[in-house]
Amino acid sequence: MAAVFGAIVVLVLAVWFAMRRLQQRRRCAALHLAVSQIRLLRQLIEQVQRHRGLLYGVLSGEGSLEARRWSVNQQVNQLLETCRLHQPTLHWYGTWHAVLACWAQLEEGDDQADPEQMLLAHNEMIRNLLATVAALADRYDLVCLGRLAPQSEGLWLELLRNTELVGQSRAIGTGIVANRQNLQVWRAQLAALSSQIREMCYAALARLASDPELRGLVSQPVRAAEDSLDVLLERIRELLEQQPDPGFSSIDYFQTATQALSAQLLLVDILLARLETRALSCD
């Protein structure tokens, strides 16, 4: 009787461990898929931000940016096509449907479109992309990582959100330099973005660099990101103070802002890679 009871206990434990292992594997597979989807959406955000800056520059009079805008337009369409593979997941997010609607509106625009309306449509599309990413991050606990407060590795989402401050400053500044109209509303918006970059971007970078577990991995990219922000903010200062001719072209300004944005995105990619490695290595 004791032997039978012992055999039952062993069988129950074996089944329990097998079920637990299966659940863990399913959880890790779901986590890996979520990180993959976020990485795809992060690429889409980058290209939509780039398209916004280029299009606003073109509509503001910098025709030399048109070839690059067309190329980025194709990249956005390719990324949206890739996103169709994840439609079973993305379908459940209303913000994703808003993303598709915004892009359809932008695709209908032409060379005679109102620059400000196109800028605002891009802003709305990126806002919904970021909201979709945030929803995925919340569903799979990719920011707090099992804690009550966001963890340093979870700063990828804050860094990604901060790229929008840089991205908007790239678009508006490129337009201002291109048309030399120096509209007060856009100067005020660019000044406000400059203040937000100083307040938010540097703070996130400092918190990331202060984490002892990540310092060796991110210290150099953080310094590069801070340096590129310094250069961008100096360009914005010159643009706001030295009108109508700030001493550099719209293309130069666009490239300076792009370098700052790329440095932020590199850190996002580093942190997402760590999350992806964790998902792949868990048993």
Side-chain angles (χ1 to χ4, degrees):
M1 189 70 179
V4 173
F5 178 75
I8 293 175
V9 170
V10 169
L11 179 60
V12 169
L13 289 174
V15 171
W16 183 80
F17 278 115
M19 291 297 296
R20 183 179 180 182
R21 186 176 182 82
L22 179 60
Q23 290 175 350
Q24 189 171 18
R25 285 180 174 175
R26 287 176 175 172
R27 181 179 62 82
C28 291
L31 180 62
H32 174 57
L33 179 60
V35 174
S36 298
Q37 291 169 339
I38 287 172
R39 289 168 71 94
L40 176 61
L41 294 176
R42 162 255 177 272
Q43 293 178 54
L44 184 57
I45 289 169
E46 178 183 14
Q47 295 307 321
V48 175
Q49 288 172 329
R50 190 184 302 271
H51 186 270
R52 171 182 56 194
L54 292 169
L55 180 60
Y56 193 61
V58 169
L59 295 177
S60 298
E62 187 56 75
S64 63
L65 295 174
E66 172 57 27
R68 293 168 64 182
R69 185 211 65 81
W70 183 88
S71 176
V72 173
N73 181 279
Q74 300 304 108
Q75 293 182 53
V76 172
N77 280 318
Q78 289 173 9
L79 287 168
L80 287 171
E81 187 65 28
T82 303
C83 286
R84 291 181 182 275
L85 300 174
H86 301 278
Q87 191 64 18
T89 298
L90 297 175
H91 173 79
W92 298 102
Y93 298 101
T95 51
W96 175 248
H97 295 283
V99 165
L100 299 177
C102 287
W103 184 246
Q105 175 187 348
L106 288 166
E107 287 277 75
E108 293 175 359
D110 54 32
D111 292 340
Q112 303 303 316
D114 179 68
E116 281 65 42
Q117 288 301 317
M118 292 293 98
L119 181 68
L120 293 175
H122 279 92
N123 292 353
E124 179 69 9
M125 182 174 180
I126 296 166
R127 185 187 70 79
N128 282 292
L129 277 168
L130 287 169
T132 304
V133 169
L136 284 167
D138 182 65
R139 178 178 178 182
Y140 294 98
D141 187 28
L142 296 174
V143 174
C144 293
L145 303 175
R147 310 290 182 84
L148 295 178
Q151 299 302 293
S152 296
E153 286 182 272
L155 278 172
W156 65 267
L157 180 57
E158 184 174 347
L159 292 168
L160 186 60
R161 285 169 169 158
N162 287 345
T163 66
E164 181 58 357
L165 300 175
V166 179
Q168 287 190 27
S169 72
R170 175 174 63 182
I172 293 174
T174 299
I176 290 176
V177 181
N179 63 31
R180 300 293 197 275
Q181 291 182 6
N182 196 21
L183 296 178
Q184 183 58 38
V185 62
W186 295 114
R187 284 172 54 81
Q189 182 65 23
L190 186 58
L193 287 166
S194 177
S195 297
Q196 289 179 289
I197 289 171
R198 291 184 185 278
E199 177 184 352
M200 301 173 67
C201 292
Y202 287 102
L205 293 173
R207 289 200 304 276
L208 184 60
S210 66
D211 187 287
E213 293 186 8
L214 296 175
R215 189 176 299 125
L217 180 65
V218 304
S219 58
Q220 184 174 351
V222 164
R223 284 196 299 272
E226 290 172 338
D227 290 344
S228 64
L229 286 175
D230 291 344
V231 175
L232 173 60
L233 290 173
E234 177 61 19
R235 284 286 181 271
I236 292 175
R237 185 192 66 78
E238 293 171 355
L239 176 57
L240 294 176
E241 293 180 1
Q242 301 178 23
Q243 286 290 332
D245 184 7
F248 48 84
S249 69
S250 58
I251 296 175
D252 292 335
Y253 178 88
F254 183 90
Q255 189 57 37
T256 296
T258 297
Q259 290 172 355
L261 202 154
S262 297
Q264 297 280 320
L265 288 172
L266 175 60
L267 287 164
V268 173
D269 290 342
I270 290 172
L271 296 179
L272 286 177
R274 282 179 66 91
L275 292 177
E276 193 167 37
T277 299
R278 175 184 298 180
L280 290 172
S281 63
C282 61
D283 295 326

